[in-house]
């Protein structure tokens, strides 16, 4: 029925937000899912990231994981009339891999988008959590074993890519100030998701 995605650089508090949404949106009975996903393809992605095999290998595995995610979770859930809320989705690829593939593949964003065009499901709404990179890094520093994405230069670039996407698609993206109090963030996003679901139903009745 409706596909909502949550995006943002590492350290923006996506996990905290998702946990709060589980409490606040119980009555809507959403399907919560994520990328990289729960299949063995998702495991392969995590392994490639941990071993830092090669940026193209990593990017194509992320796309393979997306295909598996669509086939096993997203399409069946949407067909069953569910609200699907995904922790990361295609925009993660367009933001992160356009940075990691810079200088390796010509026009990486175009290449990545072309791999999704025509068959992937575009989200109805995307909440982009935005935070100064210093604050994101401070939140991450308590976690052990940072991924190679979690470096200042990478996160700065990834976040500016995300903000470019939001400017290009203002109807789909909602920018959320992740420095706000966590209850305030959760309340705002939960209300906005309810509105998306209500609009989706209205749209269907027409
Ligand atoms: P993350 O949501 O942080 O998973 P975990 O909590 O298991 O670490 O995602 C892992 C990393 O993968 C994160 O740094 C973002 C990155 N990523 C991409 O680079 N491209 C993608 O397409 C996706 C989905 C994630």
């Amino acid at each position: 029925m409706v596909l909502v995605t949550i995006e943002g650089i590492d350290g923006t508090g996506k996990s905290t937000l998702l946990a709060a949404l589980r409490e606040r949106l119980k009555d809507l009975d959403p399907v919560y899912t994520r990328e990289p996903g729960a299949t063995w393809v998702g495991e392969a992605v995590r392994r490639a990231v941990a071993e830092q095999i090669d940026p193209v290998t990593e990017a194509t595995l992320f796309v393979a994981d997306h295909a598996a995610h669509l086939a096993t979770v997203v399409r069946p859930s949407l067909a069953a009339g569910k609200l699907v809320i995904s922790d990361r989705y295609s925009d993660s690829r367009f933001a992160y891999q356009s940075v990691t593939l810079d200088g390796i593949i010509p026009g990486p964003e175009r290449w990545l988008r072309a791999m999704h065009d025509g068959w992937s499901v575009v989200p109805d709404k995307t909440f982009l959590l935005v935070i100064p990179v210093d604050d994101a890094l401070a939140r991450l520093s308590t976690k052990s074993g940072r991924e190679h994405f979690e470096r200042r230069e990478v996160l700065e670039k990834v976040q500016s890519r995300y903000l470019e996407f939001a400017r290009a698609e203002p109807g789909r993206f909602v920018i959320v100030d992740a420095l706000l109090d966590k209850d305030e963030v959760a309340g705002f996003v939960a209300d906005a998701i309810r509105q998306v679901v209500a609009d989706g139903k209205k749209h269907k009745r027409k």
Side-chain angles (χ1 to χ4, degrees):
M1 178 189 54
V2 170
L3 173 62
V4 167
T5 61
I6 314 285
E7 295 279 0
I9 57 170
D10 304 79
T12 45
K14 279 190 298 92
S15 311
T16 309
L17 170 61
L18 263 304
L21 292 180
R22 280 180 194 269
E23 286 304 311
R24 288 173 185 260
L25 297 176
K26 271 195 179 134
D27 57 304
L28 297 180
D29 192 26
V31 171
Y32 291 95
T33 185
R34 59 175 301 159
E35 289 190 8
T39 67
W40 65 264
V41 190
E43 290 310 312
V45 178
R46 291 194 182 89
R47 188 166 163 186
V49 171
E51 293 180 11
Q52 293 197 40
I53 297 184
D54 153 71
V56 179
T57 308
E58 200 174 271
T60 47
L61 279 173
F62 270 121
V63 178
D65 174 62
H66 181 59
H69 185 219
L70 282 173
T72 59
V73 181
V74 179
R75 288 191 202 281
S77 304
L78 291 175
K82 300 291 249 178
L83 161 65
V84 179
I85 301 180
S86 187
D87 176 0
R88 297 196 179 282
Y89 194 76
S90 331
D91 294 302
S92 280
R93 229 116 43 239
F94 305 152
Y96 282 81
Q97 272 62 54
S98 68
V99 173
T100 60
L101 294 175
D102 189 27
I104 296 175
I105 282 183
E109 190 189 328
R110 200 172 5 101
W111 186 78
L112 290 159
R113 288 191 186 274
M115 276 208 279
H116 291 69
D117 278 354
W119 65 275
S120 180
V121 179
V122 178
D124 296 287
K125 213 42 118 184
T126 298
F127 293 90
L128 173 61
L129 302 188
V130 175
I131 192 175
V133 171
D134 280 339
D135 294 274
L137 287 169
R139 289 183 185 186
L140 288 171
S141 64
T142 52
K143 279 198 221 158
S144 57
R146 282 194 188 175
E147 279 151 357
H148 65 90
F149 304 116
E150 299 174 351
R151 293 200 317 261
R152 178 184 307 275
E153 326 78 80
V154 176
L155 293 184
E156 296 272 9
K157 286 185 196 157
V158 170
Q159 183 152 269
S160 30
R161 306 318 314 272
Y162 270 133
L163 288 168
E164 278 170 32
F165 306 159
R167 272 194 293 274
E169 284 184 78
R172 174 162 73 88
F173 278 91
V174 177
I175 295 180
V176 180
D177 179 354
L179 280 183
L180 292 174
D181 171 71
K182 63 180 186 336
D183 287 334
E184 210 175 326
V185 170
F188 169 75
V189 174
D191 288 349
I193 291 177
R194 287 187 189 282
Q195 191 58 51
V196 177
V197 171
D199 291 348
K201 283 190 180 143
K202 235 187 292 164
H203 196 68
K204 248 196 198 145
R205 278 203 297 271
K206 271 186 204 158

